[in-house]
Amino acid sequence: MALVRSAGLALSFICLLTSTATSRADDPQFKIGTTIIGDLKYQPGFKHFDYANPDAPKGGDLKLSDDGTFDTFNPLLQKGATAAGVGAVFDTLLKHSDDETAASYGLLAEGVAVPDDISSATFRLRPEAKWADGTPVTPEDVIFSFNNNKELNPLYTAYYAHVTKAEKTGDRDVTFTFDQKGNRELPMILGEFPIVPKHWWEGTGPDGKPRDITRTTLEPVMGSGPYKIASFTAGSTIRYELRDDYWGKNLPVNVGQNNFGSITYTYYGDRDVEFESFRAGNTDYWMDNQASRWATGYNFPAAKDGRIKREELPNPLRASGVMQAMVPNMRRDQFKDERVREALNYAFDFEDLNRNVLFNAYTRVNSYFFGTELASSGLPEGKELELLNEIKDKVPPEVFTTPYTNPVGGDPQKSRDNLRRALELLKQAGYTLKGNQMVNAKTGQPLSFEILLNSSILERVALPYAQNLKKIGIDARVRTVDTSQYINRVQNFDYDMIWYVWGETLSPGNEQADFWGSAAASRKGSHNFAGIMDPAVDALIPKVIFAQDFEEKKASVKALDRVLLANHYVVPMYYTTHYNIAYWDKFEHLPELPKYAIGFPDVWWSKSAAK
């Protein structure tokens, strides 16, 4: 699973371990958590996660920022721009552990039971779980949340495609039934969607009208989580306050977490203005994704005298990989030919950009699982080769003979050679130069497209790329639009090319069908932004999902990676191996952050609250 933790990143590949006592011999064996392989780190009776400080004080104000705008608090819809931080209003069935690669423990659910054939999963709710109005969280709430989440969000329509029903099977039990056996991911990812109150959504709002979960809303929503919406200004600010009456504050998975008394998000339409707000002290925390600013933009008093701290942390990327890329939309005729797409890669001079624009801070991405042990390299062998041989007639022959590499530029001769190779590929694809314009030799149609962006920051890379494309007669235009327009166009596949980052974990699973599967190519709202419809990819995705152990999963993922790369579906960009963060010296955390996360703001706390 990838995703989509808010944002996330996400999980897959589950092995249920660790037992608790049951009341009758015929009761299912409920476990306190799920994990990838081996034993859970934390066993029954654990007090708190090691990276959380049980003595952390509660209180203090945290000021954060976001770009764009928001127009809804509804956590289940994909449409609209959901308010930053609204996830803190809602609990989920399970909570992820940030010092394990893929492990979750009971939050709303005190346990989960799965039969040996993995044909279903049963979650038992905690009797003390309550909504903010004091009413219990019930199986009916879980079923209502699941059904609407699956229906209203195209991502989860695919994610939970093999969950055929959710039903109440006990006073506090909900059972999800699967139409496929052996899918080890499904029980775990069923613990991830937000649980919303059925009675609240089926009730009447302050305006006297019935609420509608199928629509966006700016009515402050009610949840069972640690925070509540205290105030907001539509589209620009939102303030959350810690609930004193939060039912789950003393659960082991929550001890030492949710420490800030209030969290306020302010929205900005421009990333540079957003940074200026941080410099001025109006924002407390900043994750810097601009190499030039990180290298040269902190030459101001607060950063030089230590009032602002800066850190480069590898933690979030230790168990996650990415494919950051320019993504041509193959639903457009000009991108259907693989040779055209390969030519687009030859026109991207990463080495020149890295030196002159990116301060040599990045590495070229050469895998859909870049930065992990799942990334393919060299030539296939062993189990990976066996899998590819099974579908050899569907796989590009170079997969078996030529390791994937990106073109290398960086000097005039290499750049000319790459552009010359791009011209050769375009000629093979039926294009010819007519004057200074690349046109289809048969139709005379120019090779032209728009690169759609949602941030002006990306223009510093997109514009030089477009200039390089113009050198070989391709008319590439860069257009940056506001967040709401960008979301709408992307969800409807209304673009020629976009810039996108797919996040991966060490346990890819069901989300791969949404990223690359043929069925997702025509499903609006999916993450198959390239429009991939490839029988080899479709054959390998189930191999990834149903792998029985990590070695089998690794071989399946590498095989999938090779096929995706060989078809040149995207133009790989670049990424880094660490996160750059800066923050005002107002916070504290334990000396050791969680191994696989920054833990901010979950396990940090305010210095002012400690006084």
PDB file of all heavy atoms in Angstrom, residues 141 156 170 183 187 225 230 244 262 285 298 368 384 397 411 432 465 507 514 535 560 601 608:
ATOM      1  N   ASP A 141     -21.578   2.946  12.771  1.00  0.00           N
ATOM      2  CA  ASP A 141     -20.744   4.071  12.329  1.00  0.00           C
ATOM      3  C   ASP A 141     -19.643   3.597  11.380  1.00  0.00           C
ATOM      4  O   ASP A 141     -19.362   4.239  10.365  1.00  0.00           O
ATOM      5  CB  ASP A 141     -20.110   4.769  13.534  1.00  0.00           C
ATOM      6  CG  ASP A 141     -21.113   5.455  14.430  1.00  0.00           C
ATOM      7  OD1 ASP A 141     -22.026   6.112  13.895  1.00  0.00           O
ATOM      8  OD2 ASP A 141     -20.996   5.326  15.659  1.00  0.00           O
ATOM      9  N   TYR A 156     -10.429   4.883  -2.997  1.00  0.00           N
ATOM     10  CA  TYR A 156     -10.814   3.789  -2.121  1.00  0.00           C
ATOM     11  C   TYR A 156     -11.798   2.833  -2.779  1.00  0.00           C
ATOM     12  O   TYR A 156     -11.955   1.703  -2.337  1.00  0.00           O
ATOM     13  CB  TYR A 156     -11.359   4.356  -0.809  1.00  0.00           C
ATOM     14  CG  TYR A 156     -10.258   4.999  -0.004  1.00  0.00           C
ATOM     15  CD1 TYR A 156     -10.119   6.381   0.049  1.00  0.00           C
ATOM     16  CD2 TYR A 156      -9.320   4.214   0.658  1.00  0.00           C
ATOM     17  CE1 TYR A 156      -9.086   6.962   0.755  1.00  0.00           C
ATOM     18  CE2 TYR A 156      -8.289   4.786   1.372  1.00  0.00           C
ATOM     19  CZ  TYR A 156      -8.175   6.160   1.415  1.00  0.00           C
ATOM     20  OH  TYR A 156      -7.142   6.732   2.105  1.00  0.00           O
ATOM     21  N   GLY A 170     -21.546  -8.526  15.967  1.00  0.00           N
ATOM     22  CA  GLY A 170     -21.554  -8.568  17.422  1.00  0.00           C
ATOM     23  C   GLY A 170     -21.856  -7.190  17.943  1.00  0.00           C
ATOM     24  O   GLY A 170     -21.901  -6.217  17.182  1.00  0.00           O
ATOM     25  N   ASN A 183      -5.288 -12.188   0.318  1.00  0.00           N
ATOM     26  CA  ASN A 183      -4.808 -10.816   0.147  1.00  0.00           C
ATOM     27  C   ASN A 183      -4.408 -10.274   1.523  1.00  0.00           C
ATOM     28  O   ASN A 183      -5.239  -9.815   2.298  1.00  0.00           O
ATOM     29  CB  ASN A 183      -5.896  -9.949  -0.475  1.00  0.00           C
ATOM     30  CG  ASN A 183      -5.404  -8.553  -0.816  1.00  0.00           C
ATOM     31  OD1 ASN A 183      -4.478  -8.043  -0.218  1.00  0.00           O
ATOM     32  ND2 ASN A 183      -6.041  -7.938  -1.796  1.00  0.00           N
ATOM     33  N   PRO A 187      -6.757  -6.605   5.470  1.00  0.00           N
ATOM     34  CA  PRO A 187      -7.086  -6.337   6.877  1.00  0.00           C
ATOM     35  C   PRO A 187      -6.407  -5.093   7.417  1.00  0.00           C
ATOM     36  O   PRO A 187      -7.000  -4.336   8.188  1.00  0.00           O
ATOM     37  CB  PRO A 187      -6.602  -7.602   7.594  1.00  0.00           C
ATOM     38  CG  PRO A 187      -6.663  -8.671   6.560  1.00  0.00           C
ATOM     39  CD  PRO A 187      -6.260  -7.987   5.286  1.00  0.00           C
ATOM     40  N   GLY A 225     -11.898  12.090  17.439  1.00  0.00           N
ATOM     41  CA  GLY A 225     -10.465  12.268  17.574  1.00  0.00           C
ATOM     42  C   GLY A 225     -10.067  13.274  18.633  1.00  0.00           C
ATOM     43  O   GLY A 225     -10.914  13.867  19.320  1.00  0.00           O
ATOM     44  N   ALA A 230     -12.237  24.629  16.183  1.00  0.00           N
ATOM     45  CA  ALA A 230     -12.641  25.702  17.092  1.00  0.00           C
ATOM     46  C   ALA A 230     -13.121  26.936  16.343  1.00  0.00           C
ATOM     47  O   ALA A 230     -14.075  27.596  16.764  1.00  0.00           O
ATOM     48  CB  ALA A 230     -11.464  26.079  18.001  1.00  0.00           C
ATOM     49  N   ASP A 244     -10.342  18.349  25.897  1.00  0.00           N
ATOM     50  CA  ASP A 244     -10.093  17.852  27.260  1.00  0.00           C
ATOM     51  C   ASP A 244     -10.814  16.538  27.518  1.00  0.00           C
ATOM     52  O   ASP A 244     -10.378  15.723  28.339  1.00  0.00           O
ATOM     53  CB  ASP A 244     -10.551  18.898  28.286  1.00  0.00           C
ATOM     54  CG  ASP A 244      -9.684  20.148  28.255  1.00  0.00           C
ATOM     55  OD1 ASP A 244      -8.503  20.031  27.870  1.00  0.00           O
ATOM     56  OD2 ASP A 244     -10.191  21.232  28.604  1.00  0.00           O
ATOM     57  N   SER A 262      -3.468  23.963  20.831  1.00  0.00           N
ATOM     58  CA  SER A 262      -4.174  24.404  19.622  1.00  0.00           C
ATOM     59  C   SER A 262      -3.218  24.331  18.429  1.00  0.00           C
ATOM     60  O   SER A 262      -2.000  24.470  18.581  1.00  0.00           O
ATOM     61  CB  SER A 262      -4.717  25.821  19.774  1.00  0.00           C
ATOM     62  OG  SER A 262      -3.654  26.760  19.773  1.00  0.00           O
ATOM     63  N   TYR A 285       6.787  26.359  11.804  1.00  0.00           N
ATOM     64  CA  TYR A 285       7.476  25.182  11.262  1.00  0.00           C
ATOM     65  C   TYR A 285       7.461  25.253   9.741  1.00  0.00           C
ATOM     66  O   TYR A 285       6.474  25.679   9.137  1.00  0.00           O
ATOM     67  CB  TYR A 285       6.753  23.925  11.742  1.00  0.00           C
ATOM     68  CG  TYR A 285       7.267  22.615  11.198  1.00  0.00           C
ATOM     69  CD1 TYR A 285       8.254  21.896  11.855  1.00  0.00           C
ATOM     70  CD2 TYR A 285       6.734  22.072  10.032  1.00  0.00           C
ATOM     71  CE1 TYR A 285       8.713  20.675  11.366  1.00  0.00           C
ATOM     72  CE2 TYR A 285       7.188  20.851   9.530  1.00  0.00           C
ATOM     73  CZ  TYR A 285       8.176  20.160  10.205  1.00  0.00           C
ATOM     74  OH  TYR A 285       8.615  18.954   9.718  1.00  0.00           O
ATOM     75  N   TYR A 298      18.577  31.373   4.216  1.00  0.00           N
ATOM     76  CA  TYR A 298      18.465  31.471   5.670  1.00  0.00           C
ATOM     77  C   TYR A 298      19.521  32.414   6.254  1.00  0.00           C
ATOM     78  O   TYR A 298      19.921  32.288   7.410  1.00  0.00           O
ATOM     79  CB  TYR A 298      18.570  30.078   6.302  1.00  0.00           C
ATOM     80  CG  TYR A 298      17.354  29.229   6.020  1.00  0.00           C
ATOM     81  CD1 TYR A 298      17.218  28.569   4.795  1.00  0.00           C
ATOM     82  CD2 TYR A 298      16.315  29.122   6.935  1.00  0.00           C
ATOM     83  CE1 TYR A 298      16.090  27.800   4.513  1.00  0.00           C
ATOM     84  CE2 TYR A 298      15.188  28.359   6.665  1.00  0.00           C
ATOM     85  CZ  TYR A 298      15.082  27.712   5.442  1.00  0.00           C
ATOM     86  OH  TYR A 298      13.959  26.970   5.165  1.00  0.00           O
ATOM     87  N   TYR A 368      10.530   3.307 -10.051  1.00  0.00           N
ATOM     88  CA  TYR A 368       9.250   3.676  -9.457  1.00  0.00           C
ATOM     89  C   TYR A 368       9.260   3.446  -7.949  1.00  0.00           C
ATOM     90  O   TYR A 368       8.340   3.870  -7.256  1.00  0.00           O
ATOM     91  CB  TYR A 368       8.122   2.880 -10.110  1.00  0.00           C
ATOM     92  CG  TYR A 368       7.730   3.397 -11.476  1.00  0.00           C
ATOM     93  CD1 TYR A 368       8.522   3.168 -12.590  1.00  0.00           C
ATOM     94  CD2 TYR A 368       6.566   4.147 -11.646  1.00  0.00           C
ATOM     95  CE1 TYR A 368       8.169   3.645 -13.847  1.00  0.00           C
ATOM     96  CE2 TYR A 368       6.202   4.637 -12.894  1.00  0.00           C
ATOM     97  CZ  TYR A 368       7.014   4.381 -13.993  1.00  0.00           C
ATOM     98  OH  TYR A 368       6.659   4.878 -15.216  1.00  0.00           O
ATOM     99  N   GLU A 384      12.504 -13.117  -9.931  1.00  0.00           N
ATOM    100  CA  GLU A 384      12.084 -11.979 -10.753  1.00  0.00           C
ATOM    101  C   GLU A 384      12.090 -12.349 -12.232  1.00  0.00           C
ATOM    102  O   GLU A 384      11.144 -12.049 -12.976  1.00  0.00           O
ATOM    103  CB  GLU A 384      13.029 -10.809 -10.491  1.00  0.00           C
ATOM    104  CG  GLU A 384      12.688  -9.537 -11.199  1.00  0.00           C
ATOM    105  CD  GLU A 384      13.750  -8.478 -11.015  1.00  0.00           C
ATOM    106  OE1 GLU A 384      14.683  -8.696 -10.215  1.00  0.00           O
ATOM    107  OE2 GLU A 384      13.635  -7.436 -11.684  1.00  0.00           O
ATOM    108  N   PRO A 397      11.241  -6.458 -25.015  1.00  0.00           N
ATOM    109  CA  PRO A 397      12.399  -7.366 -25.002  1.00  0.00           C
ATOM    110  C   PRO A 397      13.617  -6.800 -24.297  1.00  0.00           C
ATOM    111  O   PRO A 397      14.427  -7.553 -23.741  1.00  0.00           O
ATOM    112  CB  PRO A 397      12.661  -7.615 -26.496  1.00  0.00           C
ATOM    113  CG  PRO A 397      11.944  -6.534 -27.226  1.00  0.00           C
ATOM    114  CD  PRO A 397      10.778  -6.171 -26.385  1.00  0.00           C
ATOM    115  N   ASP A 411      26.832  18.496 -20.037  1.00  0.00           N
ATOM    116  CA  ASP A 411      27.793  19.284 -20.801  1.00  0.00           C
ATOM    117  C   ASP A 411      27.271  19.408 -22.234  1.00  0.00           C
ATOM    118  O   ASP A 411      26.407  18.634 -22.657  1.00  0.00           O
ATOM    119  CB  ASP A 411      29.194  18.690 -20.756  1.00  0.00           C
ATOM    120  CG  ASP A 411      29.297  17.330 -21.422  1.00  0.00           C
ATOM    121  OD1 ASP A 411      28.888  17.180 -22.600  1.00  0.00           O
ATOM    122  OD2 ASP A 411      29.804  16.394 -20.776  1.00  0.00           O
ATOM    123  N   THR A 432       8.494  14.692 -38.195  1.00  0.00           N
ATOM    124  CA  THR A 432       9.557  15.308 -38.979  1.00  0.00           C
ATOM    125  C   THR A 432       9.625  16.795 -38.648  1.00  0.00           C
ATOM    126  O   THR A 432       8.634  17.412 -38.240  1.00  0.00           O
ATOM    127  CB  THR A 432       9.321  15.121 -40.489  1.00  0.00           C
ATOM    128  OG1 THR A 432      10.448  15.614 -41.211  1.00  0.00           O
ATOM    129  CG2 THR A 432       8.069  15.870 -40.945  1.00  0.00           C
ATOM    130  N   TYR A 465      12.992  22.910 -19.087  1.00  0.00           N
ATOM    131  CA  TYR A 465      12.647  21.687 -19.815  1.00  0.00           C
ATOM    132  C   TYR A 465      11.890  22.039 -21.092  1.00  0.00           C
ATOM    133  O   TYR A 465      12.173  21.503 -22.180  1.00  0.00           O
ATOM    134  CB  TYR A 465      11.825  20.777 -18.918  1.00  0.00           C
ATOM    135  CG  TYR A 465      11.364  19.489 -19.569  1.00  0.00           C
ATOM    136  CD1 TYR A 465      12.254  18.693 -20.302  1.00  0.00           C
ATOM    137  CD2 TYR A 465      10.049  19.054 -19.441  1.00  0.00           C
ATOM    138  CE1 TYR A 465      11.846  17.508 -20.883  1.00  0.00           C
ATOM    139  CE2 TYR A 465       9.627  17.863 -20.016  1.00  0.00           C
ATOM    140  CZ  TYR A 465      10.525  17.098 -20.738  1.00  0.00           C
ATOM    141  OH  TYR A 465      10.116  15.927 -21.325  1.00  0.00           O
ATOM    142  N   SER A 507       6.092  -2.098   1.362  1.00  0.00           N
ATOM    143  CA  SER A 507       5.093  -3.141   1.195  1.00  0.00           C
ATOM    144  C   SER A 507       3.987  -2.695   0.247  1.00  0.00           C
ATOM    145  O   SER A 507       2.849  -2.503   0.628  1.00  0.00           O
ATOM    146  CB  SER A 507       4.488  -3.520   2.543  1.00  0.00           C
ATOM    147  OG  SER A 507       4.127  -2.362   3.265  1.00  0.00           O
ATOM    148  N   ASP A 514      -4.476   0.969  -8.573  1.00  0.00           N
ATOM    149  CA  ASP A 514      -4.968   2.331  -8.779  1.00  0.00           C
ATOM    150  C   ASP A 514      -3.926   3.198  -9.471  1.00  0.00           C
ATOM    151  O   ASP A 514      -4.268   4.106 -10.227  1.00  0.00           O
ATOM    152  CB  ASP A 514      -5.343   2.946  -7.431  1.00  0.00           C
ATOM    153  CG  ASP A 514      -5.997   4.305  -7.577  1.00  0.00           C
ATOM    154  OD1 ASP A 514      -7.117   4.364  -8.110  1.00  0.00           O
ATOM    155  OD2 ASP A 514      -5.382   5.311  -7.179  1.00  0.00           O
ATOM    156  N   PRO A 535      -1.023  -5.054 -20.535  1.00  0.00           N
ATOM    157  CA  PRO A 535      -1.334  -6.404 -20.046  1.00  0.00           C
ATOM    158  C   PRO A 535      -0.241  -6.980 -19.143  1.00  0.00           C
ATOM    159  O   PRO A 535      -0.555  -7.749 -18.222  1.00  0.00           O
ATOM    160  CB  PRO A 535      -1.479  -7.221 -21.334  1.00  0.00           C
ATOM    161  CG  PRO A 535      -0.813  -6.425 -22.402  1.00  0.00           C
ATOM    162  CD  PRO A 535      -0.968  -5.000 -22.012  1.00  0.00           C
ATOM    163  N   LEU A 560       7.625  -5.614 -11.836  1.00  0.00           N
ATOM    164  CA  LEU A 560       6.699  -4.547 -12.206  1.00  0.00           C
ATOM    165  C   LEU A 560       7.460  -3.255 -12.520  1.00  0.00           C
ATOM    166  O   LEU A 560       7.168  -2.569 -13.509  1.00  0.00           O
ATOM    167  CB  LEU A 560       5.706  -4.318 -11.061  1.00  0.00           C
ATOM    168  CG  LEU A 560       4.738  -3.143 -11.213  1.00  0.00           C
ATOM    169  CD1 LEU A 560       3.828  -3.341 -12.415  1.00  0.00           C
ATOM    170  CD2 LEU A 560       3.911  -2.967  -9.931  1.00  0.00           C
ATOM    171  N   PRO A 601       3.495  17.012  14.044  1.00  0.00           N
ATOM    172  CA  PRO A 601       3.594  17.516  15.421  1.00  0.00           C
ATOM    173  C   PRO A 601       3.218  16.481  16.485  1.00  0.00           C
ATOM    174  O   PRO A 601       3.155  16.809  17.670  1.00  0.00           O
ATOM    175  CB  PRO A 601       2.582  18.661  15.421  1.00  0.00           C
ATOM    176  CG  PRO A 601       1.512  18.191  14.479  1.00  0.00           C
ATOM    177  CD  PRO A 601       2.215  17.385  13.401  1.00  0.00           C
ATOM    178  N   SER A 608       6.570  26.282  26.011  1.00  0.00           N
ATOM    179  CA  SER A 608       5.766  27.149  26.883  1.00  0.00           C
ATOM    180  C   SER A 608       4.831  26.348  27.768  1.00  0.00           C
ATOM    181  O   SER A 608       4.517  26.755  28.886  1.00  0.00           O
ATOM    182  CB  SER A 608       4.965  28.142  26.041  1.00  0.00           C
ATOM    183  OG  SER A 608       3.997  27.461  25.243  1.00  0.00           O
TER     184      SER A 608
END
